[in-house]
Amino acid sequence: MLDLPKQYDHQSAQKRWYPFWESRGYFHSEPDPAKRPFTIVIPPPNVTGALHLGHALNNTLQDILIRQKRMQGFEALWVPGTDHAGIATQAVVERRLLEEEGKTRHDLGREGLVGRIWAWKNQYEARILAQLKQMGCSCDWARTRFTLDPVCARAVRHTFFRLFQQRLIYRGKRLVNWDTMLQTAVADDEVFHETVPGHFWYFYYPVIDPRPGEPDRVMIATTRPETMLGDTAVAVHPDPARALERIERELEKKLAEAPEREKADLAAELDEVRRRRVELLPELLTLRDMAHDGRRVMLPLVDRPIPLVADEWAKPEMGTGCVKITPAHDPNDYEVGLRQGLPMINILNPDGTLNEFAGRYRGQAVLEARQNVVADLEKLGLVAKIEDRQIDLAHSDRSKTPIEPLLTDQWFVRMERLSQMAMDAVTSGRVKILPQRYTKGYLDWLSEKRDWPISRQLWWGHQIPIWYCKTATEDELKAAFRGRSDVVWQWDGDHRQWLICAEEEDLAPDAVPGHELRRENDVLDTWFSSALWPHSTLGWPDATPELGYYYPTSVLVTSRDIITLWVARMVLTGLFNCGDVPFREVFIHPKILDAYGETMSKSKGNGVDPLDVIEKFGADSLRFGLAYLTTETQDIRMPVAFECPHCQALIEQTKENRTRPRIRCVHCQKDFSTQWAQKQADRALPRAAVVSERFESARNFCNKLWNAARFTLMNLEGYTPGAVAEEELRVEDRWVLSRLATVTGQVTEALAAYQYADAARTLYGFAWDEFCSFYVEMVKGRLQDPAARPVAQRLLAHVLDTLLRLLHPMIPFLTEEVWQLLGQAAPERGIDAARPAAASIMIAPWPEADPARRDPEIEERFARFQEVLRAVREIRSRQNVPPRQSIEFAARCDAATRALLVPMEPYFASMAGARPTAWGPEVEAPAISANATLPGIEIFVDLAGLIDLDAEIARKKDELARLDARIATQRKKLANENFVQRAPAAVVQKERDTLRDLEGQRDATAAVLDRLASLPQGKRS
RNA sequence: GGGCGUUUAGCUCAGUUGGUUAGAGCGUCAGCUCGACAAGCUGAAGGUCACUGGUUCGAGCCCAGUAACGCCCACCA
């Protein structure tokens, strides 16, 4: 007899089967014209750090699809890889460099720093790929890519070249979010806002040569006084009277409709606007006229005359009604500057200090300059007032330092045409986004057609393949690159220089004889290379067999926050480079949140490491648990817990305790450390893993499966393969085969629609509540009977075999472990015809739903059986019948029901410890019995000497009341003429049948109650 | 300000084209070491389906509105 442990050992299974699969080459895919391809490219994780639970979810969902499609006979390819994540990775490495060695990137130089980042990348890439393997991901490792490797670099170069050649890339000035620490532009989504206490300063700018009736100064307000050094205008609204009037009317309307509690605020606002119309408007009108006259004010401190301009940006209801314009340091002012044709004066150096345009403040840091500017204006008597105010300050997500808006030269992709292509691909249905509701965000974002800023002033990334030359003539360029189609150039008029782009090879500084070429230092936005991922990984720009076979890929599985940044850009570069969409479908999966609905992150301390979950619960439980929670609309909430390293108890993580360096276990009272441990004493303590109890039920399910398999394996001694004839099948066999056919269909359908939770729940229910709770229980007797045993064994092996295959995509390790054991005990399986099992479940065929096996009649019979069984068990329980004591029962029912249930007789004994004594219409209730009334069946358990009469009577009274209430509802429904006339006949008939059943039950229950109540007291216990 | 989502048992969530008594897991209670499984088995308790109105013979489901919570985008001298 096999000796298997009672608990599934996930560690050992994971250790053995992953190398087995890998060594057999099951993960590897090659183009095979005889098969249909199914391709997924992984959303490449950033090499900034280890994988978190969100990655675990993302990759589990992909692996489920890949494994299933592979079993379905597709040539399944899953391309793995990682992303260099430009700014994020460089920021992490720079921060460590500073913390650990006190050095900046400039101490190391470009090459030195990039070398450090490569070392970091190698470390984390290895860790990430190892994590994927531990999760069981069946990626084709031979095709692992990195967005900065030579293959991807080549695709980047070619794409840039093609875009440049078609004039879809240009260089231009743009106000960017400048990170003064990293000294690079950062994207809008890499900026976070924090509210900090600040001030509102009111300054006067003197009017130059005021005329009679004109003010001699204008008042402006600012939160950033030092930027006044770069002011090039003061704006006033072109029609302040109308603007104020409009706002007043709007407010009046709002006030009339507003709920009571908002009225006070609105009224105050309205008063303010009215006050302005009286007190401020005359001056604003004068200023407006002065603006039209081309009058100027004197910018103090730098003594620069600047114009008054009329521009709608100056809202008369805000601030002083006038606004200073600093085009080079404020996004809105920049727009005004463009509109009004104002000069743009950049007063900042890249490191955040002021430059030569700041006059005597040159060299000062921003905050220093701010103090000095205010002090100097005060000396001149130009500070009107200072108010305290909360300021929403932009910070760089990477360096955590304040952002300075800065006007710089940047590279852009022209989006007009490309955006339209990407929109068309989705509106036409060539790319389907699922769930569909995410389509709107995608289209809205693309429809703005904002040009894509692609340059970053970093060292880690794809260096822009552009060389500058100021001195050569076009003829000289033509001569130098004669006969070369891989070099193109454009004239950059603003900077009086040539922009030369080289497609494949770098240009030497002396590539144009007699002139010096200087290479662009900037690198490309990390999304530029990610955007090419589906085709660059398959070998583009070469026409590789892979590109022809696997492209377009089948589905992209990703999270909603990068639909615009990544998905949209993949679609447009795919169309631009390959002429076809990168994928047919995009599946957007839920996000993982903690118990408070917050996103998980290392900095909050609420992040769960998938490896901790795998360690404690196993990869199978991690995967099944995640699949089980992946519904269409709901994000996944995960209560987070510390696992006490001393006693393994789970200690709930709260907002309060989650950032503590040391925590005391509430169970064993011993201390453990967390990720925050800094002090020597804390670090010496054992560290708690951070896990979630939500994987417990998945772990329990895996163990249940393991034990069902264990039972099967223990009972396969003497197994003989062979077809099972129809007449050899018993009721329970036909039932389980019918259910299996249904479940197979449901699971296949659910996975095709990315309904992971449905698939998981269906399999959970079938495996636990039907296969284990019924089929296994019912087959036990037959296994002891030499005549019935062979067929029972074949059925058992077949059902388990099919169930394992259905579960394999979600639970790969356990199913392989059992598959191999089953292969030893029953190498040939199947009830239609016995066939040798596949060498691995990974390459076994996906089960086909056999509609011929569906048998509604058997399922109906089984449902009746289950009802009666449940009723008998309930009677046992409520009467406190000792578990070992056998009981007898009789059932009053019609002949048809009797015929249905008689074959089930033996199972009442094994499954409820009850023996049926009689079935049929003539059955009479025993004198002392407990009873249950079901539609069409009345069950009497003979309990002479056992019955708790009072309990039984109370019970029956409750039951009677319940039945009466339902009968009343039912009668009311049927008395409704509208219902009887308008509802479909079948529905009405069903209601009538229900009523008849209920009435029958009520009468039976009433009769039982009468009899019990009339029993002499002495009989009562 | 614009968009999206959520609200169902103590907790976390399912709930199909509108049609019997709204389900599951966890938790709770009662009882079980019976040769697969105590990570288990059997049974029970637990719900005004956020609120208001509408459509319908019939609404957890469809429509309108309200509220709370969450997310995304835009903006904030």
Side-chain angles (χ1 to χ4, degrees), chain A residues 163 413-427 431-433 438-450 452 525 527-535 551 556 558-577 580-583 585-588:
Chain A
L163 287 166
V413 175
R414 226 180 279 285
M415 292 294 282
E416 180 73 35
R417 200 181 104 209
L418 295 170
S419 287
Q420 193 57 51
M421 283 162 55
M423 290 171 71
D424 292 345
V426 165
T427 45
V431 173
K432 248 165 65 186
I433 299 177
Y438 292 111
T439 305
K440 188 173 158 46
Y442 171 97
L443 293 173
D444 285 353
W445 186 80
L446 279 173
S447 71
E448 290 182 23
K449 299 184 177 176
R450 276 193 285 196
W452 173 14
D525 177 13
W527 295 109
F528 193 92
S529 51
S530 324
L532 313 179
W533 191 243
H535 57 278
Y551 191 93
L556 178 83
T558 190
S559 158
R560 72 173 94 95
D561 32 357
I562 47 178
I563 293 174
T564 52
L565 296 175
W566 190 44
V567 178
R569 284 163 182 169
M570 279 192 287
V571 174
L572 64 88
T573 64
L575 289 164
F576 180 74
N577 281 340
D580 203 347
V581 297
F583 26 71
E585 296 190 331
V586 179
F587 176 63
I588 306 294

Side-chain angles (χ1 to χ4, degrees), chain A residues 11 62 251 266 283 293 306 337 439 498 511 575 680 734 746-747 923 972 977:
Chain A
Q11 312 260 21
Q62 293 174 77
L251 279 172
L266 283 169
E283 181 167 319
D293 268 4
I306 56 174
T439 305
W498 291 105
L575 289 164
Q680 199 60 39
R734 284 194 274 148
Q746 286 172 340
V747 170
V923 165
K972 205 169 138 198
E977 277 301 307

Side-chain angles (χ1 to χ4, degrees), chain A residues 402-419:
Chain A
I403 287 288
E404 294 295 339
L406 188 66
L407 196 64
T408 52
D409 284 308
Q410 300 291 339
W411 290 89
F412 298 89
V413 175
R414 226 180 279 285
M415 292 294 282
E416 180 73 35
R417 200 181 104 209
L418 295 170
S419 287

Side-chain angles (χ1 to χ4, degrees), chain A residues 266-276:
Chain A
L266 283 169
E269 223 175 299
L270 187 57
D271 282 351
E272 168 66 14
V273 171
R274 285 177 175 151
R275 189 189 64 80
R276 278 167 183 258

Side-chain angles (χ1 to χ4, degrees), chain A residues 65 259 319 330 407 459 519 548 592 678 771 849 857 898 902 1018:
Chain A
L65 295 178
D330 180 278
L407 196 64
W459 291 351
R519 177 150 194 192
I592 297 200
Q678 291 285 336
F771 181 61
E857 193 204 312
R898 174 172 59 194
V902 165

